[in-house]
Amino acid sequence: MLSIKNLHASIEGTPILRGINLEVKPGEVHAIMGPNGSGKSTLASVLAGREEYEVTEGEVIFQGKDLLELSPEDRAREGVFLAFQYPVEIPGVSSTNFLRTAVNQVREYRGLEPLDAVKFLSLMKEKMKLVEIDQKLLSRSLNEGFSGGEKKRNEIFQMAMLEPTLSILDETDSGLDIDALRIVSNGVNQLKSDKTATIVVTHYQRLLDYIVPDFVHVLYKGRIVKSGTKELALELEEKGYDWIKDEVDSKATV
Amino acid sequence: MSTLTKQDTFNSILEGAPKNFESERTLAKESYFAQGLPALKAEEYKFTSIAKKLEQTIENFSSAQAFEVSDELVKSSIYPGFEGNVLVFSNGKFLPELSSNIEGLEISALSEKPETAIGSIAKVEKDAFAALNQASFVDGAFISVPKKSQVEKPFLLLSFNKSNEGQVIQPRIWIEAGDFAEVTFIDQSVDLSETSYFLNKVIEIKGGVNTHIRYYRIQNEGKNSIEVSNIETDIQQDSRFTSVNISLSGDMVRNNLNLNLLGSNSEGNMYGLYLLNGKTHVDNHTNVDHTIPHAESNELYKGILADQSRGVFNGKIFVRQDAQKTNAFQQNNNILLSEDAVVNTKPQLEIWADDVKCSHGCTTGQLDEEALFYLQARGIDKTQAKGLLLYAFAGEVLEHIEEDSFREYCISLVQERLGSKF
Ligand SMILES: Nc1ncnc2c1ncn2[C@@H]1O[C@H](COP(=O)(O)OP(=O)(O)O)[C@@H](O)[C@H]1O
Ligand SMILES: [Mg+2]
């Protein structure tokens, strides 16, 4: 489904991603872990099409298409979804209006009829249950005045509405208490199928107790320096990242 | 060397002025000559040199007279969805035969009301253009809303302007609303001129106690207008006045809006939106004068500027020593869509009372790229995402228009502008 080869990206001339390789197949869950500042959000943003990042080398193929050639909106319409680490507050844009525009533009791209107001509302109701999000939140401006947890929940709600093929969750667990974590993970798990894939970016092992990964990768200094199964996450939880840093940094100096 | 700052620029207009309102005109003429047209360095017109603009654009000045306006033209010029009373003006002259006849209200040409205290609200010494208007306006309208009348339907002040060869149009309207009256005015002009022209307008509004007056204005007429308007309102006890001004076009436009809060428990609201492109220059100067305790003023002006357009906002809040317990809020926010667009914004607070709540703020920035990316990342097309964000920004002003049909009309104009040109 997703094939990243030797991806290099920089911002304002500073290289951040320095040769990422990753293969994701339908039905799989990949966790990307790593210390702060290692480039996890950068990778997520590059995949979603943020323009500030310049891709200097490498390729990304998503379902046979050159993802890097597509505009951010077309990537979303092709089925890529990024749950932001820091969702933006947009005063004056109503959540409902925004979602309806988004859903219908995505549907149009996929050759589907737009949803009328009634169908849209019933879809919304159905998906709201999934992440136990309150109607009141959605009658406000997009993310405006939402708590950290509410914003994260809203991201997963949007994901449910847009039915992506590839979901990238950037630190969706941060700022969530244990109940919210359970609800959000539950939502993600229910949206999983053998045709979709998920990339979970996280610091902490605890999310991975709920969303169980098939593979765990450690990103450090813009490269995937270690890959393994879910046991790797447990090991990282126990030992921290220093041993990996030491391993990588000592190799680099040799 | 500027010729316009000399005294003789508008001499033929001043000499040809009607003979009515003799003492008011004499006073105004003296004041006009004493002030002179604001020169380049004049503080109040620092960013908006109307005098220079006039000099560059117009050669011989004369007063524009009324011209014939057809019934069809009136009908086709009323914005879609409007329901209410229409008052028609031709180059500032009130045309009763084309206007709605409203029972219980007194509406006539200003020349038929020689006892009207013109200049008692918009005082000539405050502004040279107000003085010029008072000294030389041709005719205008007198509108009186009697005590306790609640006119549910709005009044559309529909002005047709046609000026050739430097003719100057000087509308003048006097509005008075008796105690407990409630009324809405919508001010719109239709430009039939082919050349640049100068519009110099004065509206005075005198409200009794417990009145509720709304004044909405849309400036979407010609691209070639050079405009100055002085709109001034006296608000008495327990009254509310709300003005919403939407500027969409013009060459150089200067709006002076003055509110005098004269009675306690009164509220003055001033809202404005300017969406500018090309080389349009719009300057909003507002002034709210808190003279008594326990009054409130709210002000929000927002601008979106593209191309080489220029915006100026100057908001004065004056809180006099007696005006304890004043609440005054002011906000000006701007989005620049081009590197060549410029905004000058200046809050000016003068507070002489000590027990007051005043706040003000101004921002000028670009479109929020983070927000734009967020919307795109959800599948929304970039142009549409921009439109959504800009509309959200502008909508905060439009929502203060309480008259549904007019709000809808403004929303459609704003959306059209934000969807296409920006
Ligand atoms: N907009 C930016 N401008 C400059 N540097 C940035 C920007 N965004 C990220 N970086 C830098 O890129 C590196 C990786 O950041 P990020 O991808 O956010 O890391 P992570 O998500 O793994 O914590 C960090 O060193 C960070 O400072
Ligand atoms: Mg991050």
Side-chain angles (χ1 to χ4, degrees):
Chain A
M1 171 187 292
L2 179 75
S3 167
I4 303 176
K5 291 212 173 86
N6 192 31
L7 183 66
H8 289 250
S10 54
I11 183 151
E12 286 158 8
T14 311
I16 310 283
L17 302 183
R18 301 183 304 144
I20 302 264
N21 293 293
L22 184 66
E23 293 287 330
V24 178
K25 297 200 175 63
E28 292 178 349
V29 176
H30 289 246
I32 296 182
M33 304 184 75
N36 262 334
S38 56
K40 303 182 298 294
S41 291
T42 303
L43 175 62
S45 299
V46 168
L47 293 178
R50 194 173 204 123
E51 275 162 23
E52 289 101 303
Y53 298 97
E54 194 200 346
V55 174
T56 49
E57 232 186 294
E59 63 166 28
V60 180
I61 305 296
F62 175 67
Q63 295 189 316
K65 288 197 174 135
D66 181 353
L67 195 69
L68 301 176
E69 282 294 301
L70 300 177
S71 64
E73 55 268 40
D74 279 351
R75 297 182 195 198
R77 295 160 180 178
E78 286 286 347
V80 176
F81 182 90
L82 169 63
F84 284 69
Q85 180 172 6
Y86 303 108
V88 192
E89 298 196 15
I90 311 188
V93 172
S94 91
S95 297
T96 316
N97 205 0
F98 148 73
L99 257 181
R100 197 165 159 208
T101 309
V103 165
N104 281 336
Q105 290 209 358
V106 168
R107 287 179 66 90
E108 189 184 341
Y109 185 86
R110 297 178 188 168
L112 300 167
E113 290 282 296
L115 293 181
D116 62 28
V118 177
K119 285 198 183 121
F120 176 76
L121 278 179
S122 74
L123 179 70
M124 242 177 71
K125 284 218 179 88
E126 179 198 325
K127 304 294 187 186
M128 275 160 58
K129 278 198 209 115
L130 198 71
V131 285
E132 299 177 30
I133 197 165
D134 195 341
Q135 173 88 55
K136 270 191 222 124
L137 275 187
L138 299 178
S139 61
R140 305 222 300 250
S141 286
L142 187 51
N143 290 328
E144 196 185 27
F146 285 26
S147 71
E150 287 168 339
K151 283 181 187 163
K152 296 300 173 77
R153 226 183 262 211
N154 195 18
E155 293 293 289
I156 303 306
F157 169 62
Q158 291 174 29
M159 170 181 154
M161 290 295 289
L162 294 169
E163 300 178 341
T165 323
L166 173 69
S167 304
I168 305 161
L169 312 181
D170 190 1
E171 310 253 5
T172 300
D173 51 335
S174 63
L176 292 186
D177 61 33
I178 201 76
D179 284 336
L181 186 67
R182 194 180 36 76
I183 293 165
V184 163
S185 321
N186 224 342
V188 173
N189 286 331
Q190 286 191 47
L191 294 167
K192 272 191 340 202
S193 79
D194 54 2
K195 292 188 188 64
T196 65
T198 314
I199 297 176
V200 187
V201 174
T202 184
H203 256 62
Y204 304 106
Q205 139 71 20
R206 63 169 198 174
L207 176 68
L208 304 180
D209 288 339
Y210 296 91
I211 306 172
V212 183
D214 301 297
F215 301 96
V216 174
H217 311 277
V218 179
L219 194 65
Y220 181 55
K221 291 191 174 168
R223 288 197 187 100
I224 290 179
V225 294
K226 207 169 194 67
S227 294
T229 54
K230 64 177 190 249
E231 283 70 31
L232 176 57
L234 289 170
E235 196 179 350
L236 290 169
E237 174 83 355
E238 204 178 298
K239 304 205 285 191
Y241 289 109
D242 286 349
W243 61 283
I244 290 187
K245 288 187 192 172
D246 289 346
E247 226 177 273
V248 175
D249 293 342
S250 66
K251 261 189 225 156
T253 52
V254 174
Chain B
M1 176 74 205
S2 165
T3 51
L4 274 172
T5 46
K6 283 196 204 153
Q7 295 194 343
D8 60 2
T9 309
F10 289 108
N11 264 7
S12 67
I13 290 181
L14 290 163
E15 273 157 22
K19 299 286 173 255
N20 55 9
F21 294 104
E22 205 185 333
S23 62
E24 286 88 351
R25 287 186 194 271
T26 308
L27 175 81
K29 195 166 161 180
E30 281 166 9
S31 173
Y32 168 74
F33 281 131
Q35 295 177 68
L37 283 182
L40 271 185
K41 293 206 181 74
E43 185 60 28
E44 284 295 306
Y45 283 82
K46 188 163 69 179
F47 298 114
T48 305
S49 184
I50 296 284
K52 189 168 160 216
K53 187 84 194 174
L54 288 173
E55 182 187 40
Q56 288 166 345
T57 329
I58 297 174
E59 279 191 3
N60 296 302
F61 293 90
S62 63
S63 272
Q65 302 297 316
F67 60 98
E68 196 163 325
V69 175
S70 71
D71 206 22
E72 291 76 58
L73 182 60
V74 171
K75 283 202 181 96
S76 64
S77 302
I78 296 172
Y79 71 81
F82 174 77
E83 262 182 60
N85 310 300
V86 185
L87 304 182
V88 180
F89 298 82
S90 168
N91 278 350
K93 186 179 194 297
F94 175 53
L95 303 179
E97 63 283 4
L98 290 177
S99 300
S100 313
N101 200 345
I102 307 121
E103 219 163 296
L105 264 71
E106 203 178 339
I107 303 175
S108 65
L110 202 47
S111 53
E112 286 171 31
K113 288 281 172 186
E115 71 283 7
T116 309
I118 63 164
S120 59
I121 298 173
K123 298 199 171 70
V124 290
E125 65 272 16
K126 283 195 201 165
D127 185 84
F129 294 103
L132 176 66
N133 177 298
Q134 181 166 323
S136 59
F137 72 95
V138 178
D139 199 355
F142 170 92
I143 302 169
S144 172
V145 183
K147 261 188 187 178
K148 293 190 182 164
S149 63
Q150 296 184 348
V151 191
E152 271 174 35
K153 291 184 176 164
F155 286 89
L156 179 62
L157 307 173
L158 187 60
S159 299
F160 294 91
N161 295 327
K162 184 156 89 178
S163 153
N164 297 309
E165 318 267 326
Q167 289 172 336
V168 177
I169 306 168
Q170 300 199 84
R172 183 157 196 119
I173 300 178
W174 172 273
I175 293 172
E176 55 188 44
D179 300 348
F180 298 93
E182 179 172 349
V183 63
T184 300
F185 293 96
I186 297 167
D187 190 348
Q188 183 172 27
S189 296
V190 177
D191 173 29
L192 304 168
S193 309
E194 274 151 28
T195 55
S196 291
Y197 67 101
F198 179 42
L199 183 84
N200 181 30
K201 172 171 184 158
V202 175
I203 298 182
E204 292 175 276
I205 303 173
K206 184 181 163 74
V209 301
N210 230 311
T211 52
H212 191 171
I213 303 170
R214 304 178 195 90
Y215 172 77
Y216 304 141
R217 181 179 189 199
I218 180 137
Q219 296 177 298
N220 64 337
E221 57 265 52
K223 286 261 168 242
N224 299 323
S225 60
I226 302 165
E227 276 182 63
V228 177
S229 59
N230 278 283
I231 294 168
E232 183 145 356
T233 307
D234 281 355
I235 303 164
Q236 305 295 339
Q237 197 177 321
D238 299 321
S239 296
R240 188 197 298 168
F241 174 83
T242 301
S243 122
V244 183
N245 191 97
I246 315 286
S247 305
L248 301 177
S249 67
D251 180 352
M252 183 178 270
V253 176
R254 165 64 173 252
N255 298 319
N256 294 324
L257 175 65
N258 302 322
L259 292 191
N260 306 311
L261 299 172
L262 303 178
S264 64
N265 195 28
S266 57
E267 178 186 320
N269 304 309
M270 298 179 282
Y271 303 105
L273 176 67
Y274 37 102
L275 304 188
L276 312 179
N277 55 20
K279 289 189 169 171
T280 295
H281 178 133
V282 170
D283 176 343
N284 282 296
H285 262 63
T286 65
N287 184 4
V288 52
D289 189 355
H290 284 263
T291 66
I292 38 73
H294 293 285
E296 178 178 322
S297 64
N298 301 295
E299 178 165 25
L300 175 66
Y301 271 73
K302 294 186 126 183
I304 300 175
L305 294 94
D307 305 333
Q308 289 137 282
S309 62
R310 173 101 182 236
V312 180
F313 173 79
N314 186 294
K316 238 181 245 170
I317 299 177
F318 201 87
V319 181
R320 300 192 188 216
Q321 201 164 359
D322 286 342
Q324 301 296 353
K325 307 280 179 196
T326 285
N327 282 329
F329 304 100
Q330 182 191 90
Q331 191 62 237
N332 173 237
N333 309 108
N334 301 285
I335 293 180
L336 303 181
L337 295 176
S338 121
E339 299 211 334
D340 300 320
V342 181
V343 166
N344 300 95
T345 168
K346 184 175 164 198
Q348 234 178 312
L349 276 63
E350 245 183 85
I351 299 169
W352 297 95
D354 43 37
D355 186 11
V356 301
K357 260 195 233 159
C358 281
S359 74
H360 68 92
C362 51
T363 61
T364 299
Q366 274 84 39
L367 191 66
D368 184 349
E369 293 288 335
E370 297 263 330
L372 187 61
F373 178 66
Y374 188 83
L375 297 180
Q376 285 180 272
R378 295 298 176 254
I380 299 176
D381 160 86
K382 186 172 187 176
T383 313
Q384 201 161 341
K386 270 188 186 174
L388 260 177
L389 291 176
L390 291 174
Y391 180 71
F393 177 81
E396 218 192 325
V397 171
L398 299 175
E399 72 192 23
H400 291 288
I401 301 174
E402 287 176 53
E403 172 59 34
D404 294 343
S405 69
F406 186 63
R407 188 181 56 252
E408 292 305 318
Y409 172 61
C410 290
I411 287 174
S412 69
L413 290 177
V414 166
Q415 284 185 333
E416 188 184 330
R417 174 68 71 86
L418 295 179
S420 60
K421 186 69 197 172
F422 286 77

